[in-house]
Coordinates of all heavy atoms in Angstrom, one line a residue:
I1 N 0.8 -1.2 0.0 CA 0.0 0.0 0.1 C 0.8 1.3 0.0 O 0.6 2.2 -0.8 CB -1.0 0.0 1.2 CG1 -2.0 -1.1 1.0 CG2 -1.6 1.4 1.3 CD1 -2.9 -1.3 2.3
F2 N 1.9 1.3 0.8 CA 2.7 2.5 1.0 C 4.0 2.6 0.3 O 4.6 3.6 0.3 CB 2.9 2.7 2.5 CG 1.7 3.0 3.3 CD1 1.1 2.0 4.1 CD2 1.0 4.3 3.2 CE1 -0.1 2.3 4.8 CE2 -0.2 4.5 3.9 CZ -0.7 3.5 4.7
W3 N 4.4 1.5 -0.4 CA 5.6 1.6 -1.2 C 5.5 1.0 -2.6 O 5.8 1.7 -3.5 CB 6.8 0.9 -0.3 CG 8.1 1.0 -1.1 CD1 8.7 0.1 -1.9 CD2 8.9 2.1 -1.1 NE1 9.9 0.6 -2.4 CE2 10.0 1.8 -1.9 CE3 8.8 3.4 -0.6 CZ2 11.1 2.8 -2.2 CZ3 9.9 4.3 -0.9 CH2 10.9 4.0 -1.7
Y4 N 5.1 -0.3 -2.7 CA 5.1 -0.9 -4.0 C 4.2 -0.2 -5.0 O 4.6 0.2 -6.1 CB 4.7 -2.4 -3.9 CG 4.7 -3.1 -5.2 CD1 5.8 -3.4 -6.0 CD2 3.4 -3.4 -5.7 CE1 5.7 -4.0 -7.2 CE2 3.3 -4.0 -7.0 CZ 4.4 -4.4 -7.7 OH 4.4 -5.0 -8.9
R5 N 3.0 0.0 -4.6 CA 2.0 0.6 -5.5 C 2.2 2.1 -5.8 O 2.2 2.5 -7.0 CB 0.5 0.4 -5.1 CG 0.1 -1.1 -5.3 CD -1.2 -1.3 -4.6 NE -1.6 -2.7 -4.8 CZ -2.4 -3.4 -3.9 NH1 -3.0 -2.7 -3.0 NH2 -2.7 -4.7 -4.2
P6 N 2.6 2.9 -4.7 CA 2.8 4.3 -5.0 C 4.1 4.5 -5.9 O 4.2 5.5 -6.6 CB 2.9 4.9 -3.6 CG 2.2 4.0 -2.8 CD 2.5 2.6 -3.3
F7 N 5.2 3.7 -5.6 CA 6.5 4.0 -6.2 C 7.0 3.1 -7.3 O 7.7 3.5 -8.2 CB 7.5 4.1 -5.1 CG 7.3 5.2 -4.1 CD1 6.9 5.0 -2.8 CD2 7.5 6.6 -4.4 CE1 6.6 5.9 -1.9 CE2 7.3 7.6 -3.5 CZ 6.9 7.2 -2.2
I8 N 6.7 1.9 -7.2 CA 7.2 0.8 -8.1 C 6.3 0.4 -9.2 O 6.7 0.3 -10.3 CB 7.7 -0.4 -7.2 CG1 8.7 0.0 -6.2 CG2 8.3 -1.5 -8.1 CD1 9.2 -1.1 -5.2
D9 N 5.1 0.1 -8.8 CA 4.1 -0.5 -9.8 C 3.7 0.6 -10.8 O 2.8 1.4 -10.6 CB 2.9 -1.0 -9.1 CG 2.0 -1.7 -10.0 OD1 2.4 -1.9 -11.1 OD2 0.9 -2.1 -9.5
K10 N 4.3 0.6 -12.0 CA 4.0 1.6 -13.1 C 2.6 1.3 -13.7 O 2.1 2.1 -14.4 CB 5.1 1.5 -14.1 CG 6.4 2.0 -13.6 CD 7.5 2.0 -14.8 CE 8.8 2.4 -14.2 NZ 9.9 2.4 -15.3
K11 N 2.1 0.1 -13.4 CA 0.7 -0.2 -14.0 C -0.4 0.1 -13.1 O -1.6 0.0 -13.4 CB 0.7 -1.7 -14.4 CG 1.7 -2.1 -15.4 CD 1.6 -3.6 -15.7 CE 2.5 -4.1 -16.7 NZ 2.5 -5.6 -17.0
S12 N -0.1 0.7 -11.9 CA -1.2 1.1 -11.0 C -2.1 2.1 -11.6 O -1.6 3.1 -12.2 CB -0.6 1.6 -9.7 OG -1.5 2.1 -8.8
S13 N -3.4 1.8 -11.5 CA -4.4 2.8 -12.1 C -4.5 4.1 -11.3 O -5.0 5.1 -11.8 CB -5.8 2.2 -12.0 OG -6.1 1.9 -10.7
A14 N -3.8 4.1 -10.2 CA -3.8 5.4 -9.3 C -2.4 6.1 -9.2 O -2.2 6.7 -8.2 CB -4.5 5.1 -7.9
R15 N -1.5 5.8 -10.2 CA -0.2 6.3 -10.1 C -0.1 7.8 -9.9 O 0.7 8.3 -9.2 CB 0.6 5.8 -11.2 CG 2.1 6.1 -11.1 CD 2.9 5.4 -12.2 NE 4.3 5.7 -12.1 CZ 5.2 5.2 -11.2 NH1 4.8 4.4 -10.3 NH2 6.4 5.6 -11.2
G16 N -0.9 8.5 -10.8 CA -0.8 9.9 -10.7 C -1.3 10.5 -9.4 O -0.7 11.4 -8.9
V17 N -2.4 9.9 -8.9 CA -2.9 10.4 -7.6 C -1.9 10.0 -6.5 O -1.7 10.9 -5.6 CB -4.2 9.6 -7.3 CG1 -4.7 10.0 -5.9 CG2 -5.3 10.0 -8.4
N18 N -1.2 8.9 -6.6 CA -0.2 8.6 -5.6 C 0.9 9.6 -5.6 O 1.4 9.9 -4.5 CB 0.4 7.1 -5.9 CG -0.5 6.1 -5.2 OD1 -0.8 6.2 -4.1 ND2 -0.8 5.0 -5.9
I19 N 1.4 10.0 -6.7 CA 2.5 11.0 -6.8 C 2.1 12.2 -6.1 O 2.9 12.8 -5.3 CB 2.9 11.1 -8.3 CG1 3.5 9.9 -8.8 CG2 4.0 12.3 -8.3 CD1 3.8 10.1 -10.3
C20 N 0.9 12.7 -6.3 CA 0.5 14.0 -5.7 C 0.4 13.8 -4.3 O 0.8 14.6 -3.5 CB -0.9 14.3 -6.3 SG -0.8 14.8 -8.0
L21 N -0.2 12.7 -3.8 CA -0.3 12.5 -2.3 C 1.0 12.3 -1.7 O 1.2 12.8 -0.6 CB -1.2 11.2 -2.1 CG -2.7 11.3 -2.5 CD1 -3.4 10.0 -2.3 CD2 -3.4 12.3 -1.5
Q22 N 1.9 11.6 -2.3 CA 3.3 11.4 -1.6 C 4.0 12.7 -1.6 O 4.7 13.0 -0.5 CB 4.0 10.4 -2.5 CG 3.5 9.0 -2.5 CD 3.7 8.3 -1.1 OE1 4.4 8.8 -0.2 NE2 3.0 7.2 -0.9
V23 N 4.0 13.5 -2.6 CA 4.7 14.8 -2.6 C 4.1 15.7 -1.5 O 4.7 16.4 -0.7 CB 4.5 15.5 -4.0 CG1 5.0 17.0 -3.8 CG2 5.4 14.8 -5.0
S24 N 2.7 15.7 -1.4 CA 2.0 16.5 -0.4 C 2.4 16.0 1.0 O 2.6 16.8 1.9 CB 0.5 16.3 -0.5 OG 0.0 16.8 -1.8
L25 N 2.5 14.7 1.2 CA 2.8 14.1 2.5 C 4.3 14.6 2.9 O 4.4 15.1 4.1 CB 2.8 12.6 2.4 CG 3.2 11.8 3.8 CD1 2.2 12.3 4.9 CD2 3.2 10.4 3.5
W26 N 5.2 14.6 2.0 CA 6.6 15.0 2.4 C 6.7 16.4 2.7 O 7.4 16.9 3.5 CB 7.6 14.5 1.3 CG 7.8 13.0 1.3 CD1 7.4 12.1 0.4 CD2 8.6 12.3 2.4 NE1 7.8 10.9 0.8 CE2 8.5 11.0 2.0 CE3 9.2 12.7 3.5 CZ2 9.2 10.0 2.7 CZ3 9.8 11.7 4.3 CH2 9.8 10.4 3.9
V27 N 5.9 17.3 1.9 CA 5.9 18.7 2.2 C 5.3 19.0 3.5 O 5.8 19.8 4.3 CB 5.1 19.4 1.1 CG1 4.9 20.9 1.5 CG2 5.9 19.4 -0.2
L28 N 4.3 18.3 3.9 CA 3.6 18.4 5.2 C 4.5 18.1 6.3 O 4.6 18.7 7.4 CB 2.3 17.6 5.3 CG 1.1 18.2 4.5 CD1 0.0 17.2 4.4 CD2 0.7 19.5 5.0
V29 N 5.2 16.9 6.1 CA 6.1 16.4 7.1 C 7.3 17.4 7.4 O 7.7 17.7 8.5 CB 6.7 15.1 6.8 CG1 7.8 14.6 7.7 CG2 5.6 14.0 6.9
L30 N 7.8 17.9 6.3 CA 8.9 18.9 6.3 C 8.4 20.2 7.2 O 9.2 20.7 8.0 CB 9.4 19.2 5.0 CG 10.6 20.3 5.0 CD1 11.7 19.8 5.7 CD2 10.9 20.6 3.5
A31 N 7.3 20.7 6.8 CA 6.7 21.9 7.4 C 6.5 21.6 8.9 O 6.8 22.5 9.7 CB 5.4 22.3 6.8
Y32 N 6.1 20.5 9.2 CA 5.8 20.1 10.6 C 7.1 20.1 11.4 O 7.1 20.6 12.5 CB 5.1 18.8 10.7 CG 4.8 18.3 12.2 CD1 3.7 18.7 12.8 CD2 5.7 17.5 12.8 CE1 3.4 18.3 14.2 CE2 5.5 17.1 14.2 CZ 4.3 17.5 14.8 OH 4.1 17.2 16.1
C33 N 8.1 19.5 10.9 CA 9.4 19.4 11.5 C 10.0 20.8 11.7 O 10.6 21.1 12.8 CB 10.3 18.5 10.7 SG 9.9 16.7 10.7
V34 N 10.0 21.6 10.7 CA 10.6 23.0 10.8 C 9.9 23.8 12.0 O 10.5 24.5 12.7 CB 10.4 23.7 9.5 CG1 10.8 25.2 9.7 CG2 11.3 23.2 8.4
I35 N 8.5 23.6 12.1 CA 7.9 24.4 13.2 C 8.1 23.7 14.5 O 8.3 24.4 15.5 CB 6.3 24.5 12.9 CG1 6.1 25.3 11.6 CG2 5.6 25.1 14.0 CD1 4.7 25.3 11.2
F36 N 8.2 22.4 14.5 CA 8.3 21.6 15.8 C 9.6 22.0 16.5 O 9.6 22.0 17.7 CB 8.2 20.2 15.5 CG 8.3 19.3 16.7 CD1 7.1 19.1 17.5 CD2 9.5 18.7 17.1 CE1 7.2 18.3 18.6 CE2 9.5 17.8 18.2 CZ 8.4 17.7 19.0
I37 N 10.7 22.2 15.8 CA 11.9 22.5 16.4 C 12.1 23.9 16.9 O 13.2 24.3 17.5 CB 13.1 22.2 15.4 CG1 13.0 23.0 14.2 CG2 13.1 20.7 15.0 CD1 14.3 22.9 13.3
Q38 N 11.1 24.7 16.7 CA 11.1 26.1 17.1 C 11.1 26.2 18.7 O 10.3 25.5 19.3 CB 9.9 26.9 16.6 CG 9.8 27.1 15.1 CD 11.0 27.9 14.6 OE1 11.4 28.9 15.2 NE2 11.6 27.5 13.4
D39 N 12.0 27.0 19.3 CA 12.0 27.1 20.7 C 10.9 28.1 21.2 O 10.6 29.0 20.6 CB 13.4 27.6 21.2 CG 14.5 26.6 20.9 OD1 14.1 25.3 21.0 OD2 15.6 27.0 20.6
V40 N 10.5 27.8 22.4 CA 9.6 28.8 23.1 C 10.3 30.1 23.4 O 11.5 30.1 23.8 CB 9.1 28.2 24.4 CG1 8.1 29.2 25.1 CG2 8.4 26.9 24.3
P41 N 9.8 31.2 22.9 CA 10.5 32.5 23.1 C 10.8 32.7 24.6 O 10.0 32.6 25.4 CB 9.5 33.5 22.6 CG 8.6 32.8 21.7 CD 8.5 31.4 22.2

C-alpha cells in the first residue's frame, strides 16, 4: 500500500494520484518538523 503501488508499480491505475499524495505528504512532514523544532520564546 505505502511503497510498491505508489512508487514501483507503473501499471497502477492510481499512479498519478499517488505521486500527488506522496509529494503532499513529504511537504507536510517537512513543514511540521521545521515548526516543531522552534524554541519557546
Side-chain angles (χ1 to χ4, degrees):
I1 293 172
F2 292 104
W3 183 258
Y4 176 72
R5 287 173 184 157
F7 295 107
I8 300 176
D9 187 7
K10 296 182 179 180
K11 297 180 180 180
S12 173
S13 60
R15 184 170 179 80
V17 176
N18 271 315
I19 292 175
C20 293
L21 290 174
Q22 294 289 346
V23 171
S24 299
L25 179 61
W26 285 110
V27 170
L28 288 168
V29 170
L30 179 61
Y32 179 85
C33 292
V34 169
I35 296 176
F36 182 80
I37 63 175
Q38 297 292 320
D39 293 329
V40 179

